Amino acid sequence: MNEGQRLDTLCIHAGQEPDPISGAVMTPIVLASTFVQDGPGAHKGYDYSRAGNPTRSALEGCLAALEGAKHGVAFGSGCAATSAILLSLAPGDHVLCGDDVYGGTFRIFDKVMKPWGLASTSLDFADLAKVEAAIRPSTKMIWLETPSNPMLKIFDIAAIAAIAKKAGAMFVVDNTFATPMLQRPLDLGATVAVHSTTKYLNGHSDVVGGAVLTNDDAIAERLHFLQKSVGGVPSPFDCYMVLRGLKTLGVRMRQHVASARTLAEHLSRHPQVERVFYPGLPSHPGHDVAARQMKGPGGMISFELAGGLAASTAFLKALRVFACAESLGGVESLAEHPAIMTHASLDPEARRALGIGDGLLRLSVGLEDVADLRDDLDRGFTAASSALKSR
Ligand SMILES: *Cc1c(COP(=O)(O)O)cnc(C)c1O
């Protein structure tokens, strides 16, 4: 239907047709839980809204087109999407999982799926020889995030896809940080792309949602079955909200990237900053792979502030444009302290091993004027240095 169209066009039109009844150009929010049937079993494609809903179908079609996928399956949260993918495996199966995946994803592996019987190994996908060595006969899935969170490590999707293929394992890439505007995992050989639509895809910090995209008919059928059977479905209103947010995804991502580049350079020149983690900087170890597999390095930056917890606390408290909050990908800028906030569920040992220390801060660069964002960071630096002097 949208054959050959480019991403910015797909954001606005894919999966959506003017309403055949009224001609409304925007997708109606169909709140009905049930649909009339002409006779038993004779319906127009929808019988009950957990099994299928027209607003949800529009969202699924749009997200699938953006990821270059045949199938889209939407969920009520990124975690519900993740759980459905893992439930498509069987007890006794084994998964190789990135060692700095989203905290909630780690929690599903560790506290939900492990008791259920799913084995998993966490590792750093930078060392491909180690990845190959970690494959077991029971390894049915490889799961990773790139860029990762919060260290913004970059992993080579095509190289890991080759390992997964050889092992006969399904390869899942959580594409939440990059979005299909910047990276399309399925084009690079991944079997499945998963999203928290809560972040950039909706983009306005007013919905929690998730989605799974794939070209594999059998996997899609299984996920539709789990969507209907386990029931972690998004509301029609939330589907509409994400569709609305998606319309500006292209312009938003271009500005997120432009502003993040400017701020990453500013941070990398600042005397109070010990290290900046941003894939767009030539100093980033994943810079070349990012340049190859991404159309832009994204809108997330992490950095190590000198002075540890005292400095980072003063820094965050002084900010006036950046809000001190978890999450990411909205129009508004956010700053957070991973060790205390988003990554508190990791034990201190694991945090240290990943480099998540007391001076590490993570920024989600929003769409405010970048000069105001830079001034705000400088306000934070001034407060951090006074906090250290007054000790
Ligand atoms: C937020 C997030 C999730 C979980 O999504 P929810 O919508 O919060 O359930 C999964 N992966 C990544 C990379 C995320 O940032």
Side-chain angles (χ1 to χ4, degrees):
M1 209 167 2
N2 301 93
E3 213 79 37
Q5 290 178 354
R6 292 156 182 84
L7 289 179
D8 280 291
T9 310
L10 296 175
C11 282
I12 296 169
H13 296 293
Q16 299 152 79
E17 288 292 324
D19 178 37
I21 296 168
S22 65
V25 294
M26 289 300 153
T27 302
I29 306 172
V30 178
L31 293 171
S33 57
T34 188
F35 299 82
V36 71
Q37 308 193 10
D38 290 339
H43 55 73
K44 299 177 173 67
Y46 298 99
D47 55 5
Y48 186 65
S49 268
R50 174 161 36 73
N53 172 280
T55 316
R56 192 171 89 209
S57 299
L59 174 63
E60 292 173 335
C62 187
L63 291 172
L66 289 174
E67 284 288 10
K70 222 163 114 186
H71 309 283
V73 192
F75 290 90
S77 69
C79 286
T82 295
S83 304
I85 297 170
L86 297 182
L87 282 172
S88 74
L89 298 176
D93 287 349
H94 173 251
V95 183
L96 284 187
C97 178
D99 64 1
D100 71 343
V101 293
Y102 179 70
T105 300
F106 175 74
R107 190 168 56 202
I108 296 171
F109 273 103
D110 192 45
K111 298 281 196 300
V112 181
M113 299 313 295
K114 194 158 97 186
W116 179 80
L118 190 72
S120 63
T121 308
S122 302
L123 78 173
D124 183 345
F125 283 98
D127 187 342
L128 296 178
K130 270 200 191 140
V131 177
E132 279 195 275
I135 300 265
R136 306 176 188 172
S138 59
T139 304
K140 293 287 159 59
M141 182 183 287
I142 295 182
W143 183 294
L144 65 78
E145 284 174 29
T146 178
S148 73
N149 176 20
M151 303 314 287
L152 299 167
K153 289 194 242 175
I154 299 292
F155 302 116
D156 188 332
I157 296 177
I160 296 162
I163 296 174
K165 191 166 177 202
K166 208 169 104 192
M170 181 171 157
F171 178 29
V172 182
V173 175
D174 182 333
N175 204 29
T176 299
F177 270 42
T179 83
M181 296 310 297
L182 304 181
Q183 172 174 282
R184 296 220 307 180
L186 303 185
D187 293 350
L188 296 164
T191 331
V192 167
V194 58
H195 278 279
S196 167
T197 56
T198 313
K199 316 296 167 51
Y200 288 106
L201 298 185
N202 177 61
H204 295 73
S205 304
D206 49 10
V207 167
V208 172
V212 185
L213 301 315
T214 185
N215 281 314
D216 186 302
D217 296 338
I219 292 171
E221 193 184 328
R222 182 76 185 147
L223 287 168
H224 275 298
F225 172 80
L226 287 163
Q227 179 193 42
K228 173 176 77 178
S229 306
V230 181
V233 293
S235 75
F237 183 77
D238 285 354
C239 293
Y240 168 81
M241 291 289 276
V242 179
L243 276 170
R244 188 179 208 264
L246 282 172
K247 292 185 191 296
T248 55
L249 181 66
V251 282
R252 285 190 285 110
M253 290 316 295
R254 287 192 283 279
Q255 188 60 49
H256 282 300
V257 169
S259 295
R261 274 191 202 281
T262 303
L263 296 185
E265 279 159 19
H266 181 64
L267 290 169
S268 66
R269 285 190 297 265
H270 202 284
Q272 282 165 261
V273 172
E274 287 177 343
R275 258 185 97 181
V276 181
F277 304 91
Y278 183 64
L281 294 174
S283 61
H284 188 286
H287 177 264
D288 293 348
V289 176
R292 200 164 67 229
Q293 73 185 14
M294 300 179 77
K295 281 196 260 171
M300 299 297 295
I301 306 172
S302 292
F303 67 99
E304 190 76 45
L305 181 67
L309 190 58
S312 51
T313 303
F315 184 98
L316 287 174
K317 284 173 101 168
L319 299 175
R320 279 196 255 139
V321 183
F322 281 89
C324 176
E326 300 192 6
S327 199
L328 61 118
V331 291
E332 76 294 349
S333 290
L334 303 176
E336 67 113 3
H337 190 279
I340 296 178
M341 296 169 67
T342 48
H343 290 68
S345 64
L346 292 183
D347 62 62
E349 188 85 22
R351 274 202 303 271
R352 248 195 313 280
L354 290 172
I356 306 173
D358 285 342
L360 188 77
L361 296 173
R362 190 191 78 181
L363 305 177
S364 173
V365 178
L367 306 183
E368 301 91 341
D369 192 306
V370 70
D372 288 328
L373 296 177
R374 188 199 52 216
D375 292 351
D376 207 34
L377 295 180
D378 289 344
R379 197 174 285 127
F381 287 125
T382 306
S385 86
S386 334
L388 294 180
K389 278 188 203 121
S390 68
R391 273 203 298 197

